[in-house]
Amino acid sequence: MTRVRLSVAERRGDLLRAAVEQIEARGVTAVRIADIASVLGVSNALVLYHFSTKEQLVAAAFRHAAEGDLAHLNKLLGRRTSALRRLRSAVRWYAPTGQAKGWRLWIEGWAAALREPALREVAQDLDRQWKAAIAEVIAEGVAAGEFHCPDPHGTALRLTALLDGLAVQLTSYEGAVPRARAQEWVEEALARELGLESAADPAERGTAPIRAAPSGTHSRS
């Protein structure tokens, strides 16, 4: 049987996907070059040809995962609908009760980033881009009169902190927080930050649109 020869980009893509899977399964500390090579049926030398050290491979694997997440986030935020709906879609997807990246992977990454500068740079870059994208759509909603928010960047930071913290609780401590309750907290926080009277989406309820709360009641900052 003729063996298909992959391009450099294709081979690197395979290696990065395998690395992400192995990091999720084994953890950053325990994963070995041999584990990733074994999954693909290639030699350790081939892996090291593309990534000269395990640290380089791990950092590249996290960047690969981050780029995938950011691409999906931008897709959600780029839809032709209201800023509120786009924001809700993004927050629900990113929340640990949604369909975003494997939270175990990112919790591993946060821990390893304390010791690995390259990995810390990847994590910080993802965090900056996520917050900037959320702040931008919030600012669009404010400009369109959909809701009130005096500090879009502060709101993006607080929402991110809540979602990341809930992810740790749900992933690391099974049963610590019921998933339905965690989702309620996310919805309540979003409504509170945007000065909305209700956390429910009018399109989902089939009722009148959400109205902004009176001035002075919409922000925790």
Side-chain angles (χ1 to χ4, degrees):
M1 182 176 179
T2 303
R3 189 169 185 175
V4 178
R5 186 177 181 85
L6 300 179
S7 69
V8 172
E10 289 171 331
R11 176 61 74 189
R12 285 176 64 90
D14 283 350
L15 290 170
L16 292 174
R17 285 187 288 273
V20 169
E21 292 173 0
Q22 289 301 302
I23 292 168
E24 286 185 300
R26 302 172 184 271
V28 172
T29 303
V31 73
R32 304 171 302 163
I33 291 291
D35 298 321
I36 296 160
S38 177
V39 167
L40 296 176
V42 300
S43 67
N44 290 5
L46 187 143
V47 178
L48 292 170
Y49 171 80
H50 290 277
F51 302 96
S52 58
T53 65
K54 172 187 164 180
E55 289 72 25
Q56 286 187 10
L57 175 55
V58 168
F62 273 95
R63 185 169 293 282
H64 176 76
E67 289 172 350
D69 286 345
L70 288 169
H72 189 75
L73 174 65
N74 290 330
K75 181 179 178 180
L76 291 174
L77 296 181
R79 289 175 175 173
R80 300 187 65 175
T81 186
S82 69
L84 181 57
R85 287 196 182 174
R86 285 182 283 143
L87 183 59
R88 275 214 169 92
S89 294
V91 169
R92 287 173 178 172
W93 167 75
Y94 183 88
T97 54
Q99 299 300 314
K101 58 185 171 291
W103 277 104
R104 186 177 299 277
L105 173 71
W106 286 107
I107 292 171
E108 284 278 352
W110 293 335
L114 296 173
R115 300 176 298 278
E116 297 290 342
L119 191 52
R120 182 162 59 249
E121 181 181 346
V122 172
Q124 288 178 331
D125 188 42
L126 171 63
D127 187 64
R128 282 193 297 267
Q129 291 192 59
W130 157 263
K131 289 173 183 172
I134 293 300
E136 182 177 353
V137 76
I138 292 173
E140 289 177 14
V142 172
E146 294 182 36
F147 44 74
H148 296 294
C149 180
D151 182 11
H153 290 282
T155 288
L157 189 153
R158 288 188 291 271
L159 286 174
T160 300
L162 172 63
L163 294 170
D164 290 348
L166 286 174
V168 172
Q169 292 293 316
L170 269 67
T171 303
S172 302
Y173 311 116
E174 186 176 355
V177 181
R179 295 178 68 83
R181 187 66 182 121
Q183 186 60 50
E184 288 176 9
W185 288 340
V186 172
E187 295 286 347
E188 290 168 0
L190 185 60
R192 184 167 57 249
E193 288 285 355
L194 302 182
L196 304 176
E197 292 182 344
S198 171
D201 189 326
E204 296 171 354
R205 295 180 310 171
T207 59
I210 295 175
R211 294 173 296 163
S215 177
T217 66
H218 53 269
S219 176
R220 292 187 292 132
S221 59

